[in-house]
Amino acid sequence: AQTVTQSQPEMSVQEAETVTLSCTYDTSESNYYLFWYKQPPSRQMILVIRQEAYKQQNATENRFSVNFQKAAKSFSLKISDSQLGDTAMYFCAFMRGGSQGNLIFGKGTKLSVKP
Amino acid sequence: DTEVTQTPKHLVMGMTNKKSLKCEQHMGHRAMYWYKQKAKKPPELMFVYSYEKLSINESVPSRFSPECPNSSLLNLHLHALQPEDSALYLCASSQGGQRLNTEAFFGQGTRLTVV
């Protein structure tokens, strides 16, 4: 069975600064995908970034980047130049390759960006 | 159009009522999902439909009955619910088919309260 662990229930950061959210996972699979989703107070789950396990290069999307350490089973999210709109719950998620979108989520990290 | 639309946004129902949650997407996705999210918890998968056929049922009680009338619509019929079923119900879709590993797009959810 796969598990996803987010060890930081809450974090805060000043606007324009950089923050890193941690995620570790456990799996015996070799083919899998990792995601970071954001859930603001509006409730909608929004995909922030995805990483294919077979790719060594870390994914980046504008101000968002990941540090994917496959051997350590670590998948942290770095948010640069934090903005007030980044305030949200952030979920790390695992999906086994070839599965039908069965996402396994971590418990989430509540991020507050302060002006 | 990258939207998944859920109706209603809020629903209050009694334990003897019958109600339905609706989900619609026009992205041509062939996989659709229902997730349940309790307060301050991550989403948990309930059902997966692939090409309008139920492919995954995560041991959900029979008082929840999913239906996929066509490739764009997904319903969740509710009957004889319990107060502990109160939660945010999220619908999601992904491309499905051979592209099983693509990310899921989520709707804004239906906040359900059972009284």
Side-chain angles (χ1 to χ4, degrees):
Chain A
Q2 292 81 28
T3 59
V4 178
T5 302
Q6 294 178 250
S7 59
Q8 305 150 316
E10 293 192 36
M11 293 192 73
S12 64
V13 64
Q14 291 297 127
E15 196 175 7
E17 292 189 347
T18 296
V19 64
T20 299
L21 308 183
S22 300
C23 173
T24 59
Y25 60 95
D26 189 24
T27 184
S28 57
E29 302 281 343
S30 58
N31 179 23
Y32 56 89
Y33 296 75
L34 296 164
F35 305 88
W36 278 98
Y37 278 90
K38 162 186 175 181
Q39 188 175 38
S42 65
R43 307 179 324 204
Q44 186 166 12
M45 296 283 284
I46 300 166
L47 178 69
V48 175
I49 201 164
R50 61 174 273 164
Q51 175 80 43
E52 292 88 343
Y54 61 85
K55 288 187 178 179
Q56 292 186 341
Q57 187 173 6
N58 290 326
T60 63
E61 285 288 341
N62 301 314
R63 298 183 294 108
F64 299 89
S65 62
V66 298
N67 183 4
F68 175 47
Q69 300 290 324
K70 190 172 182 178
K73 294 181 180 173
S74 171
F75 182 61
S76 61
L77 174 69
K78 185 171 82 171
I79 305 174
S80 304
D81 186 25
S82 297
Q83 300 176 359
L84 296 177
D86 295 334
T87 293
M89 183 71 86
Y90 286 80
F91 291 100
C92 178
F94 171 99
M95 185 174 75
R96 180 172 53 83
S99 65
Q100 296 199 42
N102 186 356
L103 292 163
I104 298 168
F105 290 91
K107 291 186 176 181
T109 296
K110 185 177 181 181
L111 177 67
S112 299
V113 180
K114 300 186 185 306
Chain B
D1 184 0
T2 57
E3 277 197 353
V4 176
T5 304
Q6 290 188 243
T7 56
K9 287 187 169 43
H10 301 273
L11 177 63
V12 179
M13 62 183 288
M15 289 189 283
T16 59
N17 291 159
K18 287 184 181 181
K19 297 286 185 183
S20 296
L21 309 184
K22 297 185 184 301
C23 175
E24 188 169 7
Q25 57 88 13
H26 295 288
M27 295 179 277
H29 289 174
R30 302 313 300 269
M32 297 185 75
Y33 317 87
W34 281 114
Y35 283 83
K36 174 181 178 179
Q37 186 178 22
K38 299 285 278 183
K40 299 185 179 181
K41 298 286 187 184
E44 294 180 343
L45 184 68
M46 300 175 73
F47 302 105
V48 178
Y49 271 84
S50 178
Y51 287 85
E52 295 101 73
K53 288 184 170 30
L54 183 65
S55 61
I56 294 178
N57 176 342
E58 293 286 354
S59 303
V60 179
S62 60
R63 57 185 184 270
F64 295 91
S65 175
E67 178 197 21
C68 190
N70 60 54
S71 60
S72 299
L73 294 174
L74 184 66
N75 298 322
L76 186 62
H77 302 298
L78 314 172
H79 173 56
L81 294 193
Q82 303 297 311
E84 58 264 29
D85 296 321
S86 298
L88 180 68
Y89 288 85
L90 292 165
C91 174
S93 70
S94 66
Q95 288 188 338
Q98 291 300 313
R99 307 195 65 168
L100 294 176
N101 302 316
T102 56
E103 56 268 26
F105 292 84
F106 285 81
Q108 284 194 305
T110 294
R111 176 77 66 193
L112 174 67
T113 302
V114 181
V115 297

